Amino acid sequence: MYQIPRGTRDFTPEEMQKRLYVEENIRSTFQSFGYREIQTPTFENLELFTAKSGETITDELYSFKDKGGRDLALRPELTAPVIRFYVDKLQMEPKPLKLFYFGNCFRYDRPQKGRYREFRQAGCEIIGVDTPEAYAELIALSYIILEKLGLKNIKLNIGNLKILKTLFNKYKLTEKQQKYILPLIDKSQFEELKEALEDFNLSPNNINEFTEALQSSDVNKINQYIEKNENIEKEILRQKQIMELIREAFDIKNYQFKLGIVRGLDYYTDIVFEIEAPYLGAEKQLCGGGGYELVKLFGGKELPTAGFAIGFDRTILALETEGYQFPISTLDAYVIPVTEEMITKCLQISQQLRKQGFTVDVDLMRRGIGKALKYANSINSKKSIIVGPDEIKQESVTIKDMKTGEQKTVEIKNISEYIK
Ligand code: AMP
């Protein structure tokens, strides 16, 4: 017997039903905000992902040489591919450009519940605008997507890397030191962070102040931690405007400002945000996004870019944990031949009904009616159409309602009215 590769999964029809529900629902929400769907390849040139993050990222990638000796990688995320696509072919498009996508991503992670080596993301990028209303709409969209899927207990956290940078500057942290502590801040590892800051010779007072600022959730009080200048005052005002719009225009109240939201990936530079399902434990983060800079690095003309990605797997885990009742797949009718002579008639009736838009299956096993009806039940067929030699002489069939058990003789030409 062959084993499935570590960190990957097979999906049963029932699981696929949930995944398709999530995909269709997310697609319609994106479209309702004027986003248009795109697709990029599953693998890219390796350098697309090392350009910003450096060679060390290859430890986390599925990278390989193809037969022509090219260095390639399965995509770990979709923002870099979408920006490559934008720089290559979409720069002349009218702005803002609102793009969304679905795609499987691959990371050489340590697998655990909610963390896989192949996982599916839904995401979007908005290119060419960074007004407060653009950010408010983007952040609200991520929340509304999850809310529309049926999630009730989710939390939105919004940070700002420009404000955070001024805090770094206040304590004169070098680029290298910043790079070292960002993952610690991202994972809220405050003990390790304190140790690092001690190593960087910050005074105990400064260390306390620094970690307090990271955990502060009041944007009005953030002033007290940073050195004031005109630019930062403007940035704080912008942050407040965005949060006010999220509340006033989109009626989202369940959010908080958190300077410690920094995101794992290297290319974020602006507002950043995350949505979590607190009850999921370590892998509670469902969505992450923010403003970033990649266009210039990829050879395009710099302009504002922002986006977010939502993980399918954790979203489904969260819905299941909240007890959400996913829609179940049903069939309009299951057609059963009583004798072998009825098989052709059954196939004809099924095909006729499919042409009229019904979902119909037909018994292919030449088994007794009892067993066929049991199967019809197991695949959630609403009706069974039993085709027997006596009824067929009158151009009729028997229709059984699988819920009530009620049976009726119906003329073939009228079947569609009875299975609506
Ligand atoms: P990121 O691209 O790391 O910002 O992740 C965006 C979202 O993708 C996260 O919030 C998760 O829901 C999901 N995600 C990231 N990594 C994994 C993984 N290894 N397995 C499953 N979902 C993931």
Side-chain angles (χ1 to χ4, degrees):
M1 204 171 68
Y2 295 108
Q3 300 285 323
I4 194 169
R6 191 163 138 80
T8 66
R9 285 143 312 143
D10 297 313
F11 298 109
T12 61
E14 289 73 23
E15 286 161 337
M16 275 314 290
Q17 179 81 21
K18 295 179 184 179
R19 297 173 80 80
L20 289 172
Y21 158 75
V22 166
E23 183 155 329
E24 283 310 312
N25 200 301
I26 293 180
R27 178 175 283 114
S28 72
T29 313
F30 271 133
Q31 287 169 340
S32 76
F33 276 72
Y35 278 77
R36 292 178 298 152
E37 188 164 356
I38 53 164
Q39 211 173 61
T40 61
T42 308
F43 57 87
E44 296 274 354
N45 288 316
L46 173 63
E47 60 187 7
L48 184 72
F49 304 111
T50 52
K52 182 80 193 177
S53 311
E55 293 299 325
T56 49
I57 185 105
T58 45
D59 292 347
E60 295 158 38
L61 293 178
Y62 276 90
S63 56
F64 55 98
K65 271 196 198 302
D66 73 0
K67 294 191 176 74
R70 300 171 194 91
D71 285 311
L72 301 171
L74 298 181
R75 61 181 172 208
E77 51 93 26
L78 280 122
T79 299
V82 171
I83 296 305
R84 173 200 48 72
F85 182 21
Y86 166 74
V87 170
D88 189 19
K89 298 206 180 74
L90 304 174
Q91 288 199 72
M92 301 309 284
E93 292 277 313
K95 306 293 178 311
L97 196 54
K98 290 171 132 183
L99 307 171
F100 78 95
Y101 47 80
F102 296 97
N104 286 11
C105 300
F106 307 82
R107 294 184 194 172
Y108 199 75
D109 256 336
R110 243 196 33 227
Q112 53 183 291
K113 193 171 183 191
R115 179 174 292 278
Y116 309 98
R117 289 185 168 173
E118 179 178 16
F119 59 95
R120 193 162 179 77
Q121 279 189 345
C124 71
E125 314 301 333
I126 181 161
I127 301 174
V129 63
D130 62 357
T131 54
E133 54 272 33
Y135 265 103
E137 187 192 77
L138 180 77
I139 299 170
L141 170 58
S142 68
Y143 190 90
I144 289 167
I145 284 178
L146 294 172
E147 205 178 43
K148 266 192 78 184
L149 279 169
L151 285 170
K152 303 219 178 317
N153 193 359
I154 46 173
K155 243 179 79 189
L156 168 63
N157 293 313
I158 310 170
N160 186 316
L161 292 177
K162 287 182 180 164
I163 301 178
L164 185 68
K165 282 270 167 181
T166 60
L167 194 67
F168 287 170
N169 292 341
K170 178 175 167 187
Y171 298 113
K172 306 205 165 33
L173 297 176
T174 64
E175 283 290 325
K176 202 171 155 203
Q177 290 171 334
Q178 295 178 21
K179 229 179 162 141
Y180 182 80
I181 61 171
L182 275 172
L184 302 178
I185 299 175
D186 184 35
K187 297 195 181 83
S188 301
Q189 292 172 332
F190 291 112
E191 281 314 306
E192 288 88 340
L193 175 66
K194 281 181 182 169
E195 280 168 27
L197 294 174
E198 264 172 38
D199 289 345
F200 302 159
N201 291 325
L202 260 68
S203 71
N205 252 351
N206 284 347
I207 293 177
N208 276 343
E209 215 178 78
F210 189 98
T211 44
E212 216 179 271
L214 290 179
Q215 289 168 83
S216 151
S217 59
D218 189 348
V219 68
N220 292 309
K221 294 202 180 131
I222 213 71
N223 267 327
Q224 73 190 63
Y225 297 107
I226 52 184
E227 282 168 348
K228 289 182 197 116
N229 64 46
E230 203 183 319
N231 282 344
I232 204 64
E233 297 285 345
K234 266 195 206 153
E235 194 52 40
I236 293 173
L237 185 68
R238 177 165 166 262
Q239 180 81 27
K240 282 192 208 163
Q241 283 172 340
I242 291 168
M243 301 208 305
E244 210 172 282
L245 280 171
I246 291 173
R247 191 176 55 244
E248 300 301 327
F250 295 97
D251 201 25
I252 296 169
K253 311 223 161 48
N254 195 14
Y255 67 83
Q256 91 180 8
F257 175 72
K258 217 167 150 192
L259 199 57
I261 298 293
V262 298
R263 313 284 306 112
L265 298 165
D266 293 332
Y267 44 69
Y268 289 102
T269 50
D270 198 347
I271 309 268
V272 281
F273 57 98
E274 292 179 351
I275 301 177
E276 57 181 35
Y279 44 84
L280 281 192
E283 307 308 323
K284 63 185 174 184
Q285 195 202 308
L286 306 181
C287 169
Y292 56 87
E293 282 170 13
L294 276 179
V295 173
K296 204 160 154 212
L297 183 73
F298 289 176
K301 190 164 170 281
E302 192 60 64
L303 80 178
T305 44
F308 63 78
I310 293 175
F312 264 54
D313 307 277
R314 293 182 201 171
T315 300
I316 291 171
L317 272 177
L319 283 164
E320 284 170 345
T321 312
E322 287 194 4
Y324 180 78
Q325 293 293 317
F326 286 89
I328 53 164
S329 80
T330 56
L331 208 61
D332 291 319
Y334 191 68
V335 186
I336 305 167
V338 174
T339 61
E340 283 183 25
E341 290 71 42
M342 295 299 109
I343 289 173
T344 308
K345 199 76 200 168
C346 282
L347 294 173
Q348 285 169 344
I349 292 173
S350 306
Q351 196 46 24
Q352 204 53 45
L353 291 171
R354 288 182 191 124
K355 278 187 186 161
Q356 293 173 51
F358 293 102
T359 51
V360 182
D361 196 1
V362 59
D363 193 79
L364 304 170
M365 299 274 285
R366 303 188 176 197
R367 57 188 155 192
I369 298 183
K371 280 193 178 151
L373 284 171
K374 217 167 145 189
Y375 180 76
N377 244 333
S378 77
I379 56 169
N380 301 319
S381 186
K382 291 184 217 155
K383 301 275 185 348
S384 281
I385 300 174
I386 302 159
V387 184
D390 295 338
E391 290 90 345
I392 230 49
K393 282 185 202 137
Q394 331 295 319
E395 279 293 306
S396 295
V397 295
T398 303
I399 299 184
K400 182 180 169 100
D401 186 309
M402 300 304 287
K403 209 163 166 196
T404 63
E406 197 187 324
Q407 291 198 175
K408 258 197 190 95
T409 305
V410 173
E411 279 189 71
I412 292 177
K413 63 175 168 33
N414 296 331
I415 294 177
S416 59
E417 277 171 42
Y418 285 84
I419 66 168
K420 257 185 213 154

